[in-house]
Amino acid sequence: MIDTAGFRVMRAIADEGSFTAAALSLGYSQPAVSQMVRRLEQRTGTALVERVGRTVRLTEAGQVLARYATTVLTALDAAEEEIASIAGLRSGRVRLMAFPSSSSTVVPQALAQVRREFPGVAVTFTEAEPPESLAALRAGECDIAVAFSYDGTDVGRGEESLENFVVSPLLEDDVLLALPRDHPLASRDVIDLADLADEDWIAGCPRCRGHLLQLCSVAGFTPKVAYETEDYVAILSFIAAGLGIAVIADLILENTPHPDVVAVPIRPSSRRTVYAVTTPDLQRVPAVAATLSALCLRASAMRAGGGPCRA
């Protein structure tokens, strides 16, 4: 019912004491001010000014509007300044979720770059596997989810439809077989999964376990999963102790090496793609766009000539 121009006119009339002076202070014509007051009186259903000769006095209702005008216009000015600060990357907030192996590789350097270039932007981080992080993105609980998918599956895997999301590939990652250094097959250049049907297996996160089952099914057997843990340091320690073997993404093996564990390519081969996922609207938020760009640059540095990144 009352727009910002109406508030500004009522405050100016209260300050200046006449339509003419109020118009001059606002840069309007005197008829324009008179017309705005008449429109306000029609909208509010009551008289707002009392004309006394060449001056005007505010009625009780007019005084109410003038009093609130200061509060409303101050709040609007503050909002405009805060929005300008966010748009100019002088401030802003980004909520990032990423799965464990990316949180120790891709994410730290990317966030460090954002801090260096835009110290006023605050990025919070929570570690979560793709089903949880994508659900949080859909629920509005995070702004960017770093997720992954294996060959033959999309990043949503049916858990969350990504039809209305922006999915930016960051890098591609080979899936390798990790086994003890003294394993009889450790010296091979490539290992057929079919040769491992009798082995004890170590499974990781639910998505990784599903991938293991899929790979072994293609190879003609069901793996005997003896141990399950999402801690990749623990998985490598189990392998080094001779308790089992596992398929692990190269990103993990490169950044968490174990002296008693070797990694060998597998047949059939498999790859994992890492993505940054957000929404079209969030992608236009400057702080989110800057964080996506930093993730892409970090991924490019890690995998020169790797998969595309269009964040």
Side-chain angles (χ1 to χ4, degrees):
M1 183 172 65
I2 305 167
D3 55 22
T4 56
F7 275 119
R8 293 189 191 280
V9 164
M10 294 307 298
R11 186 173 68 177
I13 293 172
D15 292 342
E16 304 297 337
S18 72
F19 283 4
T20 301
L24 184 63
S25 69
L26 294 171
Y28 297 160
S29 67
Q30 191 272 341
V33 169
S34 297
Q35 185 178 8
M36 293 173 73
V37 170
R38 284 197 299 273
R39 187 161 58 245
L40 276 173
E41 289 179 332
Q42 290 172 355
R43 290 176 176 176
T44 58
T46 186
L48 299 176
V49 297
E50 178 187 2
R51 292 162 181 80
V52 182
R54 295 186 176 183
T55 64
V56 294
R57 288 195 297 253
L58 297 183
T59 65
E60 182 180 7
Q63 292 173 9
V64 169
L65 278 184
R67 185 172 73 249
Y68 276 100
T70 299
T71 301
V72 171
L73 295 174
T74 298
L76 286 173
D77 289 343
E80 289 176 358
E81 174 56 31
E82 190 168 339
I83 291 170
S85 178
I86 292 170
L89 285 171
R90 299 191 303 276
S91 66
R93 179 203 67 181
V94 180
R95 299 164 298 171
L96 175 69
M97 283 189 170
F99 60 94
S101 59
S102 69
S103 68
S104 62
T105 52
V106 181
V107 171
Q109 293 302 320
L111 299 194
Q113 177 185 333
V114 172
R115 175 174 289 187
R116 285 194 305 270
E117 295 183 1
F118 310 107
V121 173
V123 183
T124 59
F125 168 74
T126 304
E127 192 170 81
E129 294 289 350
E132 181 185 352
S133 61
L134 294 174
L137 181 62
R138 177 170 293 281
E141 296 168 357
C142 78
D143 304 306
I144 301 172
V146 178
F148 65 87
S149 66
Y150 291 103
D151 285 344
T153 62
D154 60 59
V155 67
R157 279 184 57 92
E159 297 140 350
E160 290 287 336
S161 171
L162 299 184
E163 181 180 352
N164 297 319
F165 288 96
V166 177
V167 181
S168 301
L170 295 179
L171 54 86
E172 291 188 347
D173 202 17
D174 286 321
V175 176
L176 303 174
L177 178 71
L179 64 170
R181 187 170 295 277
D182 59 1
H183 192 283
L185 303 181
S187 61
R188 289 192 182 181
D189 294 330
V190 180
I191 296 179
D192 287 307
L193 284 182
D195 295 337
L196 304 167
D198 296 328
E199 297 280 348
D200 287 336
W201 289 84
I202 306 164
C205 69
R207 180 169 289 194
C208 300
R209 178 191 173 99
H211 179 244
L212 170 64
L213 294 175
Q214 180 185 12
L215 282 176
C216 293
S217 176
V218 172
F221 71 97
T222 300
K224 182 174 65 174
V225 177
Y227 309 99
E228 294 184 52
T229 175
E230 297 183 20
D231 185 337
Y232 284 105
V233 174
I235 290 176
L236 294 175
S237 296
F238 272 59
I239 294 170
L243 296 173
I245 60 176
V247 286
I248 300 180
D250 191 28
L251 182 65
I252 301 164
L253 295 167
E254 284 186 0
N255 291 277
T256 316
H258 194 293
D260 298 320
V261 175
V262 297
V264 181
I266 56 176
R267 188 183 295 118
S269 63
S270 179
R271 293 175 71 81
R272 181 180 76 166
T273 304
V274 178
Y275 303 88
V277 187
T278 189
T279 70
D281 290 332
L282 287 172
Q283 189 184 30
R284 296 186 293 110
V285 175
V288 172
T291 305
L292 287 169
S293 178
L295 288 167
C296 284
L297 288 174
R298 173 56 180 162
S300 296
M302 293 175 62
R303 289 287 188 273
C309 185
R310 293 181 292 274

